[in-house]
Amino acid sequence: MTNQNSNEHFDVIVVGGGPAGYAAALYGASAGLQIALVEKHKLGGTCLNVGCIPAKELLETAAVARTVEHANIFGVLAESKGLDWSKTLERKQGIVDQLVGGLGGLLKGRKVTVFEGLGTLGSDHKSVSITGGKSDGTRLTGDSVILAAGSVPRTMPGFPIDGQKIVTSDELLSIPELPESAVVIGGGAIGCEFASMMSDLGTKVTILEYAPKILPGCDIDAAKVVEKSFKKRGIDIQTGVAVKSQESNADGVTLTFGDNDEKITVETVVMSIGRRPLSETLGLENTQVKTDERGFIVIDEYCRTGVQGVWAIGDVVDTAQLAHIAFAEGMLVIKDILGEKAMPIDYSKAPWCIYCYPEVAFSGHTEESAKEAGFDIVVSKHRFMGNGRAMIVGETDGLVKVIAEKQADGTGGKILGVHMVGPWVTEQIGQGYLAVNWEATVDEVAQFIQPHPTISEVFGETVLSLTGRSLH
Ligand code: FAD
């Protein structure tokens, strides 16, 4: 990071060096803009340091453990001697450090000037003052300012985060030892990833979820596959229950939950109830930039705050809290700053990936939301059970579900939603997303040849069957 104490002027000042901020900085710099990036902690933000990357690395460790456990099915006589968790953490940290270091190099290569410290927006809306860190005392001015302060885990009153008995994702990803038993409060995407990872690595896991089902935003058929797999692996899932209180004791933590005040005692409680925006760090109280009652910065479809020259992107605004959405918003804003014709993001079609076992991926309408939106639909589902490659890999649980507009002859027209659960679906959703976002029709997509033998043949078969004809 740069150690500067001067007043400097830039085309664009970006506050926050997570995926939103660094995407805006890199994209803007590649378009020739002079960019300042202010980061108070670590480049890469949540995603690289305590989010996507470390979480997926630990899930891969879980996948390796599963492979070893089932190796004898393939005739490979392997026996696990357990888990060297410190080595696991070392590998995870190595990947994080490599990516964070690489990002620093990339920013330097693009001549983005990085300032270290807390950036607050001035009441003139054109200046950012930095306090703390190596750039303490620096005041920057810019023609445009992008606010990308990100988010932090939500917590519950009466549940103090001590990093050992009660943790959030921040602590769990570096926990010195995996607990023997854990409750995950919240069965959303991150909660299910953690439950899956810990269970595969030997922790007895219980999920307590307030909503009637786990993975609330997912299509019901996909969520059911995950629920069934979790239960088969010994994960206890309690839905429709509110966690009321906790009591720390010699055995760990006792939680009281549900209408009948049930109790459960575990070594560790993982709080996974969503993330709140970090807008309070930006000094907005002295500006005209507005936040809503939950702290999200209010924006329009171009991520403009309504104050001339100030944009906000990423987790600090009320759009899907995903790294790839943050990237997309970063690029959108740079185009807007450059005065180019920018296309607002269609958030309803954005791809979602959940890396638990089995994986989940989707884009567009669920069956339920398509009906609610008034579409007359046809639905096709194909399971991985009959797919050759899935059998070879030994992962036949799961399905592909495609939702399309119904044509007069009963066949599928425009593809409205693609939902996948099963092996490597996070790597397969690309073509589903392309179909949904391109507003492609069933006939158009059915023309495409799927390589054989691949797991992606199931997507091809599912679309093909909506033409009224099929193969397998
Ligand atoms: P952040 O990544 O939070 O970055 C904001 C940055 O701004 C931080 O570095 C912060 O220090 C800095 N900052 C804040 N205020 C100031 C200030 N005033 N001055 C200077 N700097 C400041 N998303 C996916 O797409 N796929 C996944 O698989 C995925 N997995 C996840 C797993 C976990 C466990 C978690 C917690 C999140 C996951 N996410 C995933 C979400 C993803 O990490 C976030 O959506 C993404 O990081 C948001 O990027 P951001 O730049 O808006 O915010």
Side-chain angles (χ1 to χ4, degrees):
M1 296 215 183
T2 316
N3 185 0
Q4 315 224 356
N5 282 343
S6 55
N7 285 354
E8 284 190 58
H9 188 83
F10 290 86
D11 294 330
V12 181
I13 306 172
V14 183
V15 185
Y22 79 67
L26 289 172
Y27 193 71
S30 70
L33 294 170
Q34 295 290 317
I35 310 256
L37 178 66
V38 186
E39 170 54 53
K40 71 175 172 58
H41 187 42
K42 287 182 181 166
L43 285 175
T46 303
C47 170
L48 259 53
N49 295 287
V50 285
C52 326
I53 297 297
K56 263 84 272 187
E57 201 285 338
L58 296 182
L59 279 155
E60 198 53 38
T61 300
V64 172
R66 277 197 313 274
T67 303
V68 173
E69 197 184 327
H70 299 121
N72 63 346
I73 296 171
F74 294 80
V76 178
L77 305 179
E79 196 186 335
S80 172
K81 291 185 180 157
L83 184 69
D84 182 347
W85 182 246
S86 60
K87 196 160 184 180
T88 302
L89 289 183
E90 206 179 294
R91 181 172 193 274
K92 176 225 50 166
Q93 201 53 44
I95 292 170
V96 168
D97 293 344
Q98 209 178 328
L99 286 170
V100 172
L103 175 60
L106 207 56
L107 289 163
K108 201 171 169 191
R110 298 262 173 100
K111 301 201 169 26
V112 172
T113 313
V114 177
F115 294 86
E116 185 188 298
L118 184 84
T120 49
L121 182 67
S123 54
D124 57 4
H125 302 119
K126 288 189 173 307
S127 63
V128 170
S129 301
I130 303 175
T131 49
K134 286 189 187 144
S135 310
D136 187 31
T138 305
R139 184 174 175 276
L140 309 172
T141 55
D143 295 337
S144 306
V145 179
I146 303 175
L147 305 173
S151 64
V152 286
R154 272 184 209 284
T155 51
M156 281 162 43
F159 288 73
I161 305 299
D162 62 9
Q164 214 178 357
K165 286 184 177 176
I166 306 183
V167 299
T168 67
S169 53
D170 285 357
E171 296 79 26
L172 183 67
L173 290 165
S174 298
I175 201 159
E177 265 179 65
L178 270 182
E180 279 184 18
S181 58
V183 158
V184 177
I185 304 181
I190 295 175
C192 281
E193 288 189 355
F194 283 149
S196 182
M197 180 270 288
M198 287 192 290
S199 170
D200 284 339
L201 296 177
T203 302
K204 171 79 191 102
V205 179
T206 302
I207 298 175
L208 300 179
E209 166 59 53
Y210 184 70
K213 70 174 179 73
I214 57 167
L215 299 174
C218 286
D219 190 90
I220 184 83
D221 287 316
K224 271 186 195 159
V225 173
V226 175
E227 190 169 333
K228 200 169 155 201
S229 165
F230 275 19
K231 286 186 172 164
K232 206 161 80 182
R233 280 145 65 207
I235 299 175
D236 183 22
I237 302 172
Q238 310 256 354
T239 52
V241 292
V243 177
K244 293 176 177 167
S245 62
Q246 65 83 25
E247 194 193 297
S248 189
N249 48 48
D251 297 330
V253 188
T254 302
L255 295 180
T256 305
F257 66 96
D259 292 342
N260 302 322
D261 284 352
E262 286 176 64
K263 296 205 185 296
I264 181 170
T265 300
V266 287
E267 212 177 302
T268 302
V269 172
V270 182
M271 195 67 75
S272 187
I273 53 169
R275 297 178 63 81
R276 67 171 183 82
L278 205 51
S279 54
E280 77 262 18
T281 61
L282 295 164
L284 300 181
E285 56 285 359
N286 304 317
T287 72
Q288 299 298 314
V289 175
K290 292 201 172 34
T291 53
D292 69 13
E293 62 291 351
R294 290 171 302 156
F296 289 108
I297 298 177
V298 179
I299 50 160
D300 69 8
E301 58 184 351
Y302 293 96
C303 298
R304 298 171 185 150
T305 61
V307 173
Q308 182 69 32
V310 184
W311 286 257
I313 54 175
D315 280 10
V316 80
V317 300
D318 191 10
T319 55
Q321 290 185 319
L322 293 168
H324 45 281
I325 292 294
F327 296 151
E329 290 172 344
M331 292 189 283
L332 171 77
V333 165
I334 292 296
K335 285 183 187 162
D336 204 28
I337 288 172
L338 289 167
E340 294 173 0
K341 194 170 158 39
M343 277 253 286
I345 296 162
D346 186 349
Y347 295 101
S348 68
K349 292 172 181 157
W352 283 77
C353 292
I354 304 165
Y355 300 75
C356 56
Y357 176 69
E359 292 184 352
V360 180
F362 59 92
S363 168
H365 275 294
T366 61
E367 188 173 348
E368 212 180 349
S369 74
K371 282 180 189 158
E372 272 168 18
F375 287 105
D376 190 13
I377 56 169
V378 275
V379 175
S380 177
K381 296 180 221 175
H382 272 62
R383 299 200 167 263
F384 286 108
M385 211 139 50
N387 174 268
R389 189 85 195 276
M391 281 184 200
I392 292 165
V393 176
E395 290 192 23
T396 50
D397 277 354
L399 54 86
V400 174
K401 176 172 176 178
V402 176
I403 297 140
E405 263 184 309
K406 190 176 188 173
Q407 305 196 112
D409 64 358
T411 61
K414 193 169 79 180
I415 296 177
L416 301 171
V418 175
H419 300 264
M420 301 175 161
V421 54
W424 303 336
V425 295
T426 56
E427 294 293 341
Q428 295 178 64
I429 192 61
Q431 57 176 335
Y433 169 62
L434 205 61
V436 170
N437 211 41
W438 207 295
E439 301 189 344
T441 64
V442 160
D443 281 341
E444 285 164 343
V445 176
Q447 292 285 339
F448 294 131
I449 295 169
Q450 301 287 339
H452 174 81
T454 60
I455 291 172
S456 65
E457 283 176 279
V458 179
F459 172 70
E461 293 273 354
T462 312
V463 175
L464 184 65
S465 67
L466 287 170
T467 64
R469 296 179 190 167
S470 59
L471 273 184
H472 298 97

